[in-house]
Amino acid sequence: MIITNNNIELLESSFPKYFKDESIIEKIKNNPYTNYYLVTKNGVCLAFINYDLIYERAELSQIEVLKEYQRQGIASKLLEFFIEDCKNKQIKNITLEVKIDNVKAINLYKKYGFKQVAIRKKYYNGIDGILMEKVL
């Protein structure tokens, strides 16, 4: 498994539903704060992480793993990579939002020291979101 940076074509082919909107591709190409990293194996993108580093803070936007590769520790590896990148860049805190019913993701984030700090009512098309934070 290899973690690589910003291979847009591989991202689009592996996760087409996430990259239909051209503005997302433009953000990857042109926003200096946006980071996309992929997990690849034998030229196939298995997963990706998207986060923004803005001065002393970071915001995790998304971790996605192809269904057939879930429950193999890939999301954990990506989260570890992200946290280490934040530490190396002297980031002070990390925030993220997660659907209140996404128990797997919530447990993953708690495992890495994220704490619930607020509930965002109807944040995800009528479903509440949890704002989580990790102070570094």
Side-chain angles (χ1 to χ4, degrees):
M1 250 186 308
I2 301 169
I3 297 179
T4 60
N5 188 10
N6 288 357
N7 186 327
I8 295 169
E9 293 77 24
L10 196 53
L11 265 174
E12 286 181 293
S13 65
S14 296
F15 296 91
K17 76 177 189 175
Y18 294 104
F19 300 98
K20 287 180 188 173
D21 184 350
E22 194 60 36
S23 67
I24 294 173
I25 302 303
E26 286 305 310
K27 182 180 177 188
I28 294 170
K29 290 179 181 178
N30 299 318
N31 187 329
Y33 302 107
T34 297
N35 295 269
Y36 272 86
Y37 287 90
L38 293 65
V39 174
T40 61
K41 184 175 181 181
N42 300 325
V44 175
C45 180
L46 312 180
F48 73 91
I49 188 168
N50 166 23
Y51 56 92
D52 292 330
L53 300 177
I54 307 167
Y55 304 107
E56 71 284 344
R57 60 179 291 276
E59 184 170 324
L60 176 60
S61 298
Q62 195 167 6
I63 295 177
E64 289 293 331
V65 179
L66 290 175
K67 190 169 188 81
E68 59 269 29
Y69 294 99
Q70 292 177 2
R71 304 196 58 80
Q72 296 180 27
I74 295 171
S76 292
K77 293 277 188 235
L78 281 170
L79 196 54
E80 290 166 6
F81 173 85
F82 167 53
I83 292 168
E84 191 61 32
D85 192 31
C86 289
K87 288 178 180 177
N88 290 339
K89 293 176 177 152
Q90 284 82 44
I91 299 297
K92 305 282 187 243
N93 81 341
I94 303 169
T95 57
L96 61 89
E97 287 93 12
V98 60
K99 284 183 186 177
I100 201 161
D101 61 355
N102 191 343
V103 176
K104 286 192 306 187
I106 292 166
N107 288 335
L108 174 67
Y109 299 138
K110 285 181 178 179
K111 175 181 166 185
Y112 286 92
F114 286 84
K115 307 280 186 221
Q116 178 179 323
V117 294
I119 298 290
R120 298 207 165 153
K121 293 290 183 187
K122 301 182 193 247
Y123 188 75
Y124 293 98
N125 298 323
I127 299 170
D128 291 349
I130 299 173
L131 174 63
M132 301 184 84
E133 179 183 47
K134 178 178 178 68
V135 177
L136 299 177

